[in-house]
């Protein structure tokens, strides 16, 4: 039986960076992936000549120059700027929350006017130290914007009342008092020309990859196939859920080809009214300025994760973080296993942070 230095579980971004970097350092790696394709959740498939983000919209953005230069080894990026809009009933608002949003909401023109309205609404609520997501959101943007643009969307996304969610979830929400619709504050941003799948292909071109392989079944048959394991799956599943099951949110997509050139005029449209069952509609062609005759849209429905479903993002509340801490202690005792990525670290990760974490971990392994 062939022996490898590393068995890498998962052909997503974290696993691909690890495999690429370790193989560059002379390590023999085998990558296994339970899906029938590489690239994890950033996988793109082509429909009607349009690259479709199969597992939800992914816009690459970072302020880390090292990460930006690294990813540009594998692809060129276009100049796409993420400027989503929100629809509440029949009203349309710009996101992130900026002067265009405030002007539409209150019929005002200046930052001073917007700040005065928000400050008055915060004082009226009497919030000093936000204790939950609702209080944090109101303390950032006031009651009007919270009620129309945050509350319904967030409760659909998380399946919980805003009062029952931790405050930190909303702290990364951009709020600015300029007429600037760029959602991200990062220095670098764009969509890779050719799509994300091509990036992962290039990373893995000199690495053995097997798709459609379940790690747990594979390990039973090949217990000593590698000296070390890089595990990017669910940390609680690795330990057979013996301390309990961590909670995740899952996402279901309804993807449809429409016989029109332009359906909604924007790549990302959030539906913030709780009466609309989906959270947003993605029109994929706009990520790459497509001019095809038809268009492809995906409606996104958020749901509670159950075993057998695809876990998308962790529910990082106090209860789950306590349980994750117990699993982390078990993970630290697994001397020949590295847990990484979104599921292995039970953490919401932007793509640049996944790359950054993988590059740091490779250096740690190289030192040993």
């Amino acid at each position: 039986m062939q022996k490898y230095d590393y068995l890498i579980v998962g052909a997503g971004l974290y696993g691909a960076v690890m495999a690429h970097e370790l193989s560059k350092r002379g390590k023999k790696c085998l990558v296994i992936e339970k899906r029938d394709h590489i690239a994890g959740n950033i996988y793109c498939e082509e429909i009607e000549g349009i690259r479709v983000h199969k597992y939800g919209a992914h816009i690459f953005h970072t302020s880390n120059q090292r990460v930006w230069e690294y990813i540009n080894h594998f692809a060129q990026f276009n100049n796409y700027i993420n400027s989503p809009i929100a629809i509440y009933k029949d009203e349309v608002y710009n996101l992130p929350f900026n002067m265009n949003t405030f002007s539409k909401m209150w019929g005002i023109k200046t930052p001073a006017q917007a700040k005065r309205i928000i400050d008055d609404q915060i004082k009226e609520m009497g919030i000093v130290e936000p204790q939950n997501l609702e209080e944090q959101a109101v303390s950032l943007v006031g009651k009007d914007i919270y009620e129309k643009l945050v509350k319904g969307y967030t409760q659909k996304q998380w399946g919980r009342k805003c009062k029952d969610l931790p405050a930190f979830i909303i702290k990364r929400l951009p709020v600015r008092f300029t007429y600037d619709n760029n959602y991200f504050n990062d220095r670098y941003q764009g969509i890779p020309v050719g799509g994300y799948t091509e990036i992962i292909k290039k990373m893995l071109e000199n690495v053995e990859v097997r798709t459609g392989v379940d790690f747990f079944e594979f390990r039973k048959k090949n217990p000593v196939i590698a000296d070390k394991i890089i595990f990017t799956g669910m940390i609680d599943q690795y330990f057979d859920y013996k301390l309990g099951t961590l909670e995740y949110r899952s996402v279901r997509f309804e993807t449809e080809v429409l016989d029109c050139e332009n359906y909604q005029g924007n790549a990302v449209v959030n539906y913030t009214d709780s009466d609309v069952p989906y959270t947003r509609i993605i029109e994929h062609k706009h990520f790459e300025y497509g001019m095809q005759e038809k268009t492809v849209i995906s409606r996104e429905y958020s749901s509670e994760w159950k075993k057998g479903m695809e876990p998308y993002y962790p529910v990082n509340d106090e209860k789950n973080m306590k349980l994750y801490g117990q699993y982390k202690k078990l993970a630290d005792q697994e001397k020949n296993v590295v847990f990484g990525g979104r599921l292995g670290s039970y953490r919401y990760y932007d793509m640049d942070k996944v790359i950054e974490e993988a590059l740091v971990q490779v250096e740690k392994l190289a030192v040993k």
Side-chain angles (χ1 to χ4, degrees), residues 109-260:
K109 297 177 183 175
T110 69
Q113 290 173 307
K115 287 179 180 178
R116 194 177 306 121
I117 291 171
I118 291 172
D119 288 345
D120 287 346
Q121 291 186 3
I122 293 170
K123 285 174 188 171
E124 192 179 315
M125 295 293 287
I127 298 167
V128 181
E129 282 291 325
Q131 297 300 307
N132 54 51
L133 189 148
E134 179 176 289
E135 293 181 357
Q136 180 66 55
V138 172
S139 70
L140 282 172
V141 290
K143 189 176 181 183
D144 291 348
I145 288 176
Y146 166 72
E147 291 287 346
K148 287 190 175 184
L149 303 182
V150 176
K151 185 178 181 180
Y153 184 90
T154 303
Q155 290 182 173
K156 283 189 290 187
Q157 187 179 30
W158 291 96
R160 292 157 176 78
K161 291 182 179 178
C162 291
K163 289 180 179 177
D164 298 331
L165 289 165
F168 75 82
I169 289 176
I170 209 83
K171 283 183 178 177
R172 65 200 296 269
L173 192 71
V175 179
R176 57 176 75 104
F177 292 92
T178 56
Y179 287 90
D180 179 6
N181 295 327
N182 183 357
Y183 194 87
F184 301 118
N185 292 317
D186 287 314
R187 170 70 179 82
Y188 309 104
Q189 181 177 173
I191 300 287
V193 176
Y196 289 101
T197 308
E198 292 304 309
I199 290 176
I200 304 302
K201 272 185 189 173
K202 287 180 181 176
M203 287 182 177
L204 296 175
E205 62 186 359
N206 295 315
V207 180
E208 184 180 346
V209 180
R210 302 182 197 175
T211 56
V213 177
D214 178 82
F215 164 70
F216 300 99
E217 293 299 318
F218 184 81
R219 183 171 57 171
K220 286 177 190 173
K221 297 173 185 174
N222 306 277
V224 291
I225 198 167
D227 296 329
K228 292 181 183 294
I229 296 172
I230 311 289
F231 186 78
T232 72
M234 296 158 58
I235 189 171
D236 51 344
Q237 184 183 20
Y238 181 89
F239 293 104
D240 199 24
Y241 308 105
K242 66 181 181 182
L243 301 177
T245 304
L246 290 165
E247 292 179 294
Y248 302 84
R249 294 294 290 173
S250 191
V251 184
R252 178 173 63 85
F253 302 94
E254 284 182 358
T255 297
E256 187 178 356
V257 177
L258 300 177
D259 196 13
C260 65

Side-chain angles (χ1 to χ4, degrees), residues 72 122 263 266 281 295 319 357 362:
N72 273 267
I122 293 170
Y263 174 71
N266 206 39
I281 296 179
T295 193
K319 177 186 76 172
E357 185 206 359
V362 164

Side-chain angles (χ1 to χ4, degrees), residues 6-173:
Y6 287 92
L7 172 64
I8 298 173
V9 183
L13 189 55
Y14 185 89
V17 172
M18 293 294 286
H20 180 79
E21 292 300 316
L22 288 167
S23 63
K24 267 194 343 187
R25 289 162 171 78
K27 302 299 182 182
K28 191 167 185 56
C29 301
L30 170 64
V31 176
I32 61 171
E33 166 60 53
K34 68 176 182 179
R35 290 171 172 166
D36 62 0
H37 61 75
I38 61 170
N41 281 5
I42 61 174
Y43 174 72
C44 298
E45 62 181 348
E46 195 163 301
I47 302 174
E48 296 290 339
I50 298 165
R51 258 180 291 276
V52 172
H53 296 208
K54 185 175 174 67
Y55 302 99
H58 287 83
I59 299 106
F60 196 91
H61 58 98
T62 188
S63 291
N64 186 323
Q65 187 173 351
R66 181 195 179 200
V67 168
W68 180 245
E69 290 174 354
Y70 182 83
I71 197 70
N72 273 267
H73 288 308
F74 305 98
Q76 290 183 318
F77 282 74
N78 69 14
N79 63 342
Y80 176 82
I81 298 295
N82 189 31
S83 304
I85 60 171
I87 293 179
Y88 175 79
K89 300 191 184 300
D90 291 326
E91 301 166 14
V92 179
Y93 294 94
N94 289 106
L95 296 175
F97 305 134
N98 68 76
M99 284 304 301
N100 288 307
T101 323
F102 307 144
S103 177
K104 175 72 179 285
M105 183 74 67
W106 299 309
I108 52 94
K109 297 177 183 175
T110 69
Q113 290 173 307
K115 287 179 180 178
R116 194 177 306 121
I117 291 171
I118 291 172
D119 288 345
D120 287 346
Q121 291 186 3
I122 293 170
K123 285 174 188 171
E124 192 179 315
M125 295 293 287
I127 298 167
V128 181
E129 282 291 325
Q131 297 300 307
N132 54 51
L133 189 148
E134 179 176 289
E135 293 181 357
Q136 180 66 55
V138 172
S139 70
L140 282 172
V141 290
K143 189 176 181 183
D144 291 348
I145 288 176
Y146 166 72
E147 291 287 346
K148 287 190 175 184
L149 303 182
V150 176
K151 185 178 181 180
Y153 184 90
T154 303
Q155 290 182 173
K156 283 189 290 187
Q157 187 179 30
W158 291 96
R160 292 157 176 78
K161 291 182 179 178
C162 291
K163 289 180 179 177
D164 298 331
L165 289 165
F168 75 82
I169 289 176
I170 209 83
K171 283 183 178 177
R172 65 200 296 269
L173 192 71

